[in-house]
Amino acid sequence: MRWRSLERLHIVLSLIYIHLDAVGEEFLKSNQTPITCSIKDEKDLKNRGLNVVNTVNYWQESNFLDGTIEGIPAKHGYGFVSKPMGNVMGFYVQLPNEKSLYLSADTIYTNDV
């Protein structure tokens, strides 16, 4: 993706409970950075004072910047390990005149991924 300035900066958040530290959270809040996240994380992020402008649900395409974003189910691990680990979502992003992009964190390889 090509960014001309930070005015177009938009954050896609995944795995907020594990990876969003206090410094990062404060940066996002102080700059009112637009955030796209899983529909399952929206309430918590808004309660933290973050600027959630778009939510994504599994297998549903949503508008994102000048293109689309789709939520892809993901898992932390196999069997028991995956159950207590929380919500995981990958994001499939398609923007005009760019290669498509899949973003995910802390996931194993599954048929969905």
Side-chain angles (χ1 to χ4, degrees):
M1 291 181 234
R2 296 179 192 101
W3 303 106
R4 292 189 178 169
S5 70
L6 287 180
E7 292 172 11
R8 296 269 306 183
L9 180 65
H10 189 111
I11 302 295
V12 176
L13 284 182
S14 178
L15 293 169
I16 61 166
Y17 302 105
I18 299 170
H19 298 291
L20 183 58
D21 63 13
V23 173
E25 185 174 322
E26 186 54 40
F27 173 83
L28 296 174
K29 283 195 285 192
S30 65
N31 291 289
Q32 280 299 293
T33 303
I35 294 172
T36 292
C37 65
S38 165
I39 197 165
K40 293 182 176 185
D41 296 329
E42 176 184 21
K43 183 178 177 182
D44 182 57
L45 291 172
K46 284 183 173 180
N47 286 342
R48 292 179 181 201
L50 296 172
N51 182 25
V52 176
V53 298
N54 191 19
T55 57
V56 179
N57 206 347
Y58 296 118
W59 300 119
Q60 293 182 356
E61 200 171 82
S62 302
N63 293 330
F64 180 71
L65 301 175
D66 297 327
T68 61
I69 187 169
E70 180 179 349
I72 307 297
K75 292 176 64 173
H76 281 289
Y78 299 99
F80 173 77
V81 171
S82 67
K83 290 181 175 40
M85 296 299 285
N87 175 47
V88 186
M89 179 182 281
F91 300 93
Y92 179 61
V93 179
Q94 297 180 86
L95 300 174
N97 304 313
E98 299 289 347
K99 292 182 179 182
S100 62
L101 176 68
Y102 175 75
L103 300 169
S104 189
D106 291 2
T107 187
I108 60 171
Y109 184 72
T110 66
N111 288 336
D112 293 334
V113 172

